[in-house]
Amino acid sequence: MPEDIACYGPVEGEVGGRSFELRLVGSAKGVVIAHVSGVENRDQAEKLRGLHLYLPRSALPQTEPNEYYHADLIGLEAVLEDGTPVGRIRAIHDFGAGDTLELVRPAASPVMVPFTRTVVPVVEPAARRLVLNPPPGLLDEGEP
């Protein structure tokens, strides 16, 4: 839940590694409202507008076998079961029916791949790759 962000401890800014403590104040319209340590007025808050905040990996719970954080999957090379390279994972999306991998391919348009055990039977984060078993037509180039 977004409201849990303050429970993990300090967050870090994307640039310079500045650390911030968050104290949850509330939420509105799907946005978490928090007090940020070291920010005492509107001018200081404006200087942070657009800054992406991250949790250190060490603050996150260990994953179970066959569980992955999105960050573990982004950038993995995707190969077919015979080892043929297909592309790299650019992003993970959830449009309501489960996670979908956005696969960018060097010689073709990007494609969305369902992140299921059937279509992605092997995930090897340590080897920086995953194996695809795509259904017929999934990787075909469609008509423009």
Side-chain angles (χ1 to χ4, degrees):
M1 302 288 299
E3 299 82 26
D4 293 338
I5 189 69
C7 298
Y8 289 102
V11 294
E12 297 173 357
E14 67 184 321
V15 179
R18 184 173 167 195
S19 182
F20 301 94
E21 292 279 343
L22 302 178
R23 184 175 44 84
L24 189 64
V25 176
S27 63
K29 299 180 184 175
V31 176
V32 174
I33 301 170
H35 179 269
V36 180
S37 63
V39 178
E40 304 301 327
N41 60 53
R42 187 176 204 79
D43 291 335
Q44 290 174 332
E46 281 295 324
K47 290 179 183 175
L48 298 178
R49 182 184 293 272
L51 177 67
H52 291 118
L53 300 174
Y54 298 94
L55 286 170
R57 180 65 182 242
S58 61
L60 300 174
Q62 286 288 90
T63 56
E64 297 293 325
N66 297 316
E67 278 187 340
Y68 309 97
Y69 286 112
H70 287 187
D72 295 335
L73 302 174
I74 294 172
L76 293 186
E77 180 182 17
V79 299
L80 297 177
E81 290 180 316
D82 67 3
T84 303
V86 178
R88 291 208 177 273
I89 305 305
R90 176 169 46 194
I92 295 91
H93 305 281
D94 184 350
F95 300 111
D99 287 336
T100 304
L101 305 176
E102 182 178 349
L103 178 65
V104 291
R105 303 179 290 171
S109 300
V111 65
M112 302 299 258
V113 176
F115 188 44
T116 64
R117 285 188 202 270
T118 301
V119 179
V120 185
V122 178
V123 179
E124 299 174 324
R128 303 293 304 145
R129 75 179 206 133
L130 55 79
V131 176
L132 297 178
N133 179 21
L138 181 69
L139 301 179
D140 296 346
E141 273 299 301
E143 293 296 316

